[in-house]
Amino acid sequence: MSFTLATWNINSVRLREPIVLKLMEEEAPDVLCLQECKSPVEKIPLEGFAALGYTHMVARGQKGYNGVAILSKIPMEEAGSEDFADLGHARHIAGKLENGVTIHNFYVPAGGDVPDREKNEKFGQKLDYLTGMRDWFHKETPQKSVLVGDLNIAPREDDVWDHKKLLKIVSHTPIEVEHLAETQDAGGWVDVTRQDIPDGKLYSWWSYRARDWDAADKGRRLDHVWATGDISAAAHGSRVLRDARGWEKPSDHAPVFATFDL
């Protein structure tokens, strides 16, 4: 069974329903994982999605903030959710496809603006959330699984527009990169995107603050697709749909794709 998956921080699924539908119509991934849905589950606009074949959904939501959803053309059942660091946020949902693959969809806390947990509570919450993920994967080693989402960290030097300038900027600080690496190692996760695209600058997020985001190209790779070692070799076709960042009323993130032949 072959399936294509996309992950996208949509920054409000109701506000940006038109571009979710555009992605579904033009790219038609079998599975679409959304983060920052900013909607209670019952208010996610399912009718239009179902009309395009996305008749299966698992989700966690809350009013105005956070929220994660997995929309699928393939039969899928819920496989649980976790509240790491006891934040009470809707930041994780898992779904199991009929082929036995479990998909974990994460929205890791952004961490605020100051990379110091003593001065910035949000930064501490981000680190604690990643530690919770790490400990969970140590305790329950994932198998035949894919992890996607806005992990809010650009780990590699070529995942940001300027490594030296961003070393003290939240999302690229050494302590965040270290925490993410520990989380990845704990689950035996393989970075599928960089397995397919091993070299060169690669971004999935461009700030709204940039007057011309495309020309300035000051991006970061915050959105990730990982797979457990038992299925990572089956992954291919990774890409970032950069054009989506320029669609009407866009998210500041672009969708990231991968295909799995299992």
Side-chain angles (χ1 to χ4, degrees), residues 3-7 29 31 146 192-193 196 225 235-239 256-260:
F3 68 94
T4 297
L5 174 150
T7 179
V31 180
V146 179
V192 164
T193 309
D196 283 350
V225 179
H236 63 92
S238 296
R239 61 192 174 98
V256 181
F257 287 75
T259 297
F260 291 83

Side-chain angles (χ1 to χ4, degrees), residues 11-258:
N11 190 17
S12 178
V13 68
R14 287 187 284 170
L15 180 65
R16 301 189 212 287
E17 180 187 4
I19 61 173
V20 176
L21 293 171
K22 179 180 173 69
L23 184 89
M24 289 174 165
E25 288 179 324
E26 295 182 0
E27 303 294 332
D30 299 290
V31 180
L32 175 58
C33 299
L34 300 175
Q35 305 88 37
E36 207 171 355
C37 295
K38 296 183 176 179
S39 174
V41 173
E42 65 272 14
K43 292 188 177 181
I44 294 174
L46 294 178
E47 188 174 340
F49 305 156
L52 294 174
Y54 295 85
T55 54
H56 306 275
M57 183 184 79
V58 296
R60 289 290 183 273
Q62 59 190 98
K63 184 179 179 180
Y65 298 95
N66 308 314
V68 283
I70 305 175
L71 300 159
S72 179
K73 295 181 174 183
I74 305 166
M76 173 183 60
E77 61 184 26
E78 186 174 315
S81 64
E82 298 291 329
D83 180 19
F84 298 106
D86 298 318
L87 298 178
H89 297 173
R91 292 187 176 275
H92 171 251
I93 188 67
K96 190 170 186 178
L97 302 179
E98 62 178 0
N99 63 359
V101 173
T102 299
I103 298 173
H104 293 277
N105 183 15
F106 278 96
Y107 177 42
V108 171
D113 295 326
V114 181
D116 183 335
R117 68 182 307 147
E118 302 302 322
K119 299 177 181 178
N120 173 17
E121 181 185 18
K122 290 182 178 180
F123 192 72
Q125 290 176 345
K126 181 177 192 174
L127 298 181
D128 292 345
Y129 193 93
L130 290 161
T131 298
M133 289 174 64
R134 179 200 69 190
D135 292 348
W136 189 49
F137 294 137
H138 272 309
K139 184 179 178 181
E140 300 184 27
T141 304
Q143 295 179 317
K144 201 175 181 182
S145 298
V146 179
L147 185 157
V148 306
D150 177 5
L151 305 185
N152 263 312
I153 297 172
R156 295 179 18 157
E157 292 188 16
D158 51 3
D159 288 339
V160 295
W161 65 276
D162 190 312
H163 168 62
K164 290 184 178 179
K165 288 183 179 178
L166 269 69
L167 277 172
K168 295 183 179 180
I169 301 299
V170 173
S171 77
H172 193 59
T173 65
I175 191 171
E176 292 171 272
V177 172
E178 181 183 352
H179 275 64
L180 187 67
E182 290 177 355
T183 300
Q184 185 177 351
D185 290 346
W189 297 104
V190 175
D191 182 344
V192 164
T193 309
R194 281 305 192 179
Q195 176 181 263
D196 283 350
I197 311 170
D199 301 308
K201 298 280 190 181
L202 189 65
Y203 314 137
S204 64
W205 174 89
W206 296 262
S207 175
Y208 284 134
R209 296 174 185 173
R211 184 170 298 175
D212 187 339
W213 69 272
D214 193 29
D217 203 22
K218 293 183 177 181
R220 307 177 203 174
R221 187 174 71 103
L222 304 180
D223 305 270
H224 299 266
V225 179
W226 295 352
T228 48
D230 53 352
I231 64 169
S232 59
H236 63 92
S238 296
R239 61 192 174 98
V240 177
L241 187 64
R242 181 186 174 109
D243 287 353
R245 178 61 180 82
W247 289 353
E248 188 174 355
K249 295 182 179 178
S251 169
D252 46 359
H253 293 253
V256 181
F257 287 75

